[in-house]
Structures are given as structure tokens and as C-alpha cells.
Amino acid sequence: MNAFPREYALEFSAVSKLYGERAVLDRLDLAIPSGSVVGLLGKNGAGKTTLLRCALGLAKPQHGTVTILGEPAWTLSASAKQYLGYVPQTPQLYPWMRVAHLLDYTGSFYRRWNGALVRQLAADWRLPLNQRAGTLSVGEAQKLTLVMALGHEPDLLILDEPVASLDPSARREFLKVVLEIAAGGNRTVLFSTHITSDLERVADRVAILQNGRISFFGELGELKDQIKRLRLVSVNTFPERFDMPGILTQRIQGKQALVTTRLVTPEMLDRLEADWHATVEVEDLNLEEIFLELHDE
Amino acid sequence: MCIDTLTHMAADFLFQVFPNSGLPIYRQLIDQVRHHVASGRVKPGDFLPSVRQVALELEVNHMTVSKAYSLLERDGVVELVRGQGMRVAPRTAASENGSIRERQEKLMPLLRQVAAEAYQLNLSTAQVKSLIDRVLKELDQS
């Protein structure tokens, strides 16, 4: 498949997924370029898992199209699946199988199974090869699922909250593996999370899922460059509300104001200074703060 | 061999990033390179560590490092040497970035911020100027 490099590893076009009356995904568009590492960010219940399941053809949207590795997700061929890796939120393992056996068994389904890589990862992560899967701790089970998803060196790796049950050191080890995968340059990774600090390290792009749609998709640096908090102090009293494009939140108290905006331009700052005889201070926000500002309704 | 030389030449170049900071990681990297160049700790002709090296060491995405390097290259701070990596450019390259006036203009937004803050802090013009002199002197000495 690498012989036919495609621009996008995964494409959503006007995708709606309804559960009863409720549209979890609402005409959602998203195109993930091949070779990128994308962090999918959203509140609990925003529909992250639904989005990932639609991507994999595990859930069928009522409207729109999902294209994964060049094929429609819902009718994905067995050969395309050879290039896909998926780690669900809750590990699905046969409890009676021993770890080593489970790894061999998984490998038997794939044409390009990298046994050496699997043994290496299993050793690095101290997986108890002779233990039965049912007796593993939550963290161990998650690591095992991850090794199973990496063994065939997939072109596209989809991870649903991959680090949720890992302790901080295991999380760092895991992130390192994702970074190594990313450094190869031709693999695509999509992972959902609500741990923003992990995302800041590993991802080169962030997708924010909000109200059934992607409210931002782009480089993390770009997001931080765009969204700023302005601290305004004036000799006069500010109006009750500022009416300017791009404002996300505003808190105004007499001669002081805190305004978060997604469109900071030098012209805008000049205008604010001139219109209100104000001094304007521009503050950088980290991803967590940006996330909170975007969800402050 | 090549990698050994690179490691050696870039040995005392240590990046430090704070992923949780509001400043994008690529900007943190750019600022640090510029600072090291300005302070003379890194000299023209020195090589920066490779993108891969930095990404692995800092545990950040290689695209982020790569973006920082290409912006530094665009601004003439470093130059790409084929097969060897990013080399700190001779100082003259910086002046190709436009006339003195254009370069001064680039500094204006930062200075305006300084002026506004100084006003808030009730500092006089002379007091602010003496601070700027001090900072510039520090740069010269290091």
C-alpha cells in the first residue's frame, strides 16, 4: 500500500451518526493527511469513540461517507485491514490465553507480522508472557493490546484513549513508541485523549470535536498562535460586551477586561488600544486553557 | 561517522521545552537557537543536532522540530548543508533580512508591549532605557 501514497489516510465527508434522535456526529468533515499524528480532543461524551468506530467501519453513519486507506469504511476489504491497527478503549482479550500465545495467535492473521518487534516491545514493557490474559492488570492488558496492534506495523494506527489506564512512566514509554512510529514519516496515527499534555508532545495536529463537528483541525502551534487571551486595562469604563469577530469568551469588569479570541491581528490590537484608550497585553494559552475556553458556553 | 561529528559539534547544545506552556514548542526551539546564537554560545559554522536527535531526546514530535528548523532557515539563522544538517549561518546573513528600518519595525510590537507595561509600573523613560542598556550589555558580554 505504501507503493500508492495517498494524500489522506482517513476522510470524513458530511458524516452524521445518530443514536435515536441525538446526532452524535453532525455533518462532520475531517481529512487526515498521511504521515501525520493527530490527537482527537473532546469532552466526555463528545463522540470521540463514535468517530473512531465510524472510521473503522464498526459503526455505520446514517449520512455521509467515510474513506479509510482509500476504501469505504463500511465495506473495508480484508486486505486493507492488514494495514490498520486499532486499540479500543477497553481491551478485548481471550482471558484463558497466555500472553505469548495470544501474540502468536494475533500474528497468524497478518501477512507482515514483525515477530522481532513484538518480542522487543513485550520485553521493554515487561509483559508477563506466561500469564493468562484474564489475570493481567488493566495497564498490562492495555499494553498487550497495543503490542498486538503494532505487530503488523500498520500504515494507520487508531487508538481510543490509549493511555487512560497507564501510570505516568508507562505513559511516557508508550508516547515514545508513538513518536518512533511517527518519526518513520509514512505512518499515520489518530488517537483520542483528554490528557492535553500528552497530546502537546506527541501530536503534530489536533482535532477538536465539539457539538458533533470538528471545531478546529490543524497544527498545534497554529492553534496556540491563533487563540490568545487579551488583558485590557483602560482609563475609561469598557462597554458591557465587545462586538468583534472571533471572540470566544469575555469577562468585563469596569476598566478591566479579559477577552479570549481566535483571531488576533496587530490591526485588532491597534484598534482596541485606540478605541478604548486601553493598554492591551497578549497572553499565550496552553492547550488545556484553550480547550476550556472553547468549551466555555 | 557523520553522526558522531554532529553529536560532537552539537554536544553542548541542550534544548529544553515545556509542552504545557502557551508558547508553541516550535517557537520555544526557535527562541533558544536565536538566544544561543545571539549570546555567542553557538558560533557560525556549528551544527545543530539533527531533527531526529532532538525529537527523541525531548520526546516531541519530529514535525515540530522540523518546523522550527525550517523557520530558522527561512530567517537566515541557519543554513541547510546537504547530507550534514543545519549549520549556524554567518552573521551577515541576518542583515539580508531587510533594511535597518525594516528590521527595526520588527522589534516595534515587542517594544510597545514593554512601553505599556512600563507605564503600568510607573517607570520613567530614563528608568526603562537604563534597563534596555543593561540587557544589551549582558548580551555583549556573553
Side-chain angles (χ1 to χ4, degrees):
Chain A
M1 272 216 187
N2 278 328
F4 306 99
R6 56 179 67 79
E7 193 177 359
Y8 298 110
L10 177 62
E11 271 184 279
F12 283 73
S13 173
V15 170
S16 294
K17 173 69 188 170
L18 297 97
Y19 290 109
E21 294 283 284
R22 186 167 164 251
V24 177
L25 306 181
D26 182 16
R27 286 159 291 163
L28 177 140
D29 293 310
L30 177 65
I32 293 181
S34 298
S36 58
V37 179
V38 179
L40 176 64
L41 203 58
K43 282 210 286 204
N44 292 330
K48 301 188 290 287
T49 299
T50 302
L51 186 150
L52 298 181
R53 288 178 55 84
C54 286
L56 292 154
L58 296 172
K60 191 178 186 183
Q62 281 85 350
H63 304 284
T65 53
V66 183
T67 311
I68 184 165
L69 298 174
E71 291 189 14
W74 189 246
T75 55
L76 199 60
S77 69
S79 68
K81 285 178 187 160
Q82 297 276 332
Y83 298 90
L84 261 182
Y86 171 50
V87 179
Q89 208 163 11
T90 337
Q92 315 262 323
L93 302 163
Y94 295 117
W96 67 88
M97 275 193 177
R98 295 188 196 278
V99 170
H101 184 192
L102 206 69
L103 288 171
D104 288 342
Y105 175 71
T106 309
S108 69
F109 289 100
Y110 293 97
R111 283 198 299 270
R112 48 168 198 186
W113 185 256
N114 187 339
L117 172 73
V118 167
R119 279 188 296 279
Q120 180 66 49
L121 286 173
D124 286 352
W125 289 353
R126 292 173 293 281
L127 283 179
L129 291 173
N130 290 318
Q131 217 167 299
R132 292 187 196 279
T135 67
L136 297 177
S137 71
V138 182
E140 284 171 332
Q142 199 160 20
K143 284 186 201 170
L144 174 58
T145 320
L146 203 54
V147 176
M148 285 161 56
L150 291 170
H152 56 293
E153 303 185 74
D155 286 357
L156 173 58
L157 181 62
I158 293 183
L159 309 155
D160 195 357
E161 300 275 359
V163 292
S165 48
L166 298 184
D167 63 57
S169 68
R171 240 175 60 208
R172 279 304 269 275
E173 279 178 71
F174 162 74
L175 294 177
K176 241 179 164 155
V177 172
V178 175
L179 282 169
E180 277 162 27
I181 294 171
N186 42 20
R187 308 255 205 97
T188 314
V189 183
L190 171 62
F191 70 100
S192 71
T193 186
H194 54 251
I195 304 175
T196 51
S197 60
D198 291 342
L199 199 152
E200 299 207 41
R201 268 184 192 282
V202 175
D204 55 66
R205 273 164 235 253
V206 53
I208 298 176
L209 179 60
Q210 206 177 358
N211 302 325
R213 296 194 186 182
I214 299 296
S215 60
F216 176 86
F217 179 59
E219 282 179 31
L220 194 51
E222 199 182 296
L223 182 67
K224 284 187 184 175
D225 284 341
Q226 274 178 15
I227 299 188
K228 299 284 179 189
R229 186 186 290 147
L230 311 177
R231 194 175 285 275
L232 293 99
V233 182
S234 173
V235 284
N236 306 319
T237 307
F238 286 119
E240 242 166 67
R241 288 182 63 79
F242 286 109
D243 188 23
M244 280 185 305
I247 288 184
L248 294 169
T249 62
Q250 43 184 323
R251 282 165 217 124
I252 298 169
Q253 208 150 48
K255 296 171 181 177
Q256 298 194 28
L258 268 184
V259 177
T260 306
T261 163
R262 62 157 83 223
L263 292 165
V264 189
T265 57
E267 295 76 44
M268 174 187 180
L269 299 180
D270 287 346
R271 225 191 76 195
L272 276 171
E273 283 180 343
D275 288 0
W276 303 103
H277 303 285
T279 57
V280 184
E281 229 177 280
V282 182
E283 290 176 7
D284 297 319
L285 300 176
N286 68 21
L287 187 55
E288 185 165 314
E289 293 167 317
I290 289 173
F291 184 78
L292 290 172
E293 291 284 352
L294 286 172
H295 287 84
D296 187 12
E297 285 162 48
Chain B
M1 283 298 280
C2 196
I3 288 171
D4 280 344
T5 349
L6 274 182
T7 325
H8 175 70
M9 298 185 86
D12 50 354
F13 205 101
L14 281 179
F15 284 113
Q16 195 181 17
V17 293
F18 302 94
N20 287 339
S21 150
L23 202 60
I25 296 175
Y26 78 92
R27 282 190 189 266
Q28 296 179 33
L29 296 174
I30 290 174
D31 289 350
Q32 284 169 42
V33 172
R34 282 181 177 281
H35 180 80
H36 285 324
V37 171
S39 70
R41 199 185 301 172
V42 178
K43 301 206 161 42
D46 284 354
F47 278 92
L48 299 184
S50 73
V51 167
R52 203 186 142 71
Q53 235 174 315
V54 177
L56 278 179
E57 210 162 284
L58 299 177
E59 293 178 19
V60 298
N61 190 293
H62 71 289
M63 295 288 285
T64 309
V65 184
S66 173
K67 178 168 183 176
Y69 277 19
S70 59
L71 287 173
L72 283 165
E73 190 194 5
R74 187 200 67 188
D75 292 347
V77 180
V78 297
E79 51 196 14
L80 181 67
V81 184
R82 238 164 240 283
Q84 291 191 62
M86 285 293 188
R87 185 171 63 190
V88 176
R91 187 95 195 263
T92 49
S95 63
E96 286 160 18
N97 263 339
S99 65
I100 294 176
R101 210 196 162 77
E102 279 166 347
R103 278 177 284 141
Q104 279 177 325
E105 211 40 54
K106 279 191 186 163
L107 209 56
M108 283 308 279
L110 278 174
L111 289 175
R112 284 210 182 89
Q113 221 171 318
V114 170
E117 191 79 3
Y119 176 79
Q120 293 283 319
L121 292 168
N122 258 327
L123 289 169
S124 73
T125 309
Q127 283 160 338
V128 176
K129 278 183 178 163
S130 82
L131 282 178
I132 293 179
D133 282 343
R134 197 169 93 196
V135 172
L136 290 174
K137 217 171 263 166
E138 280 170 6
L139 257 185
D140 267 350
Q141 279 160 3
S142 60

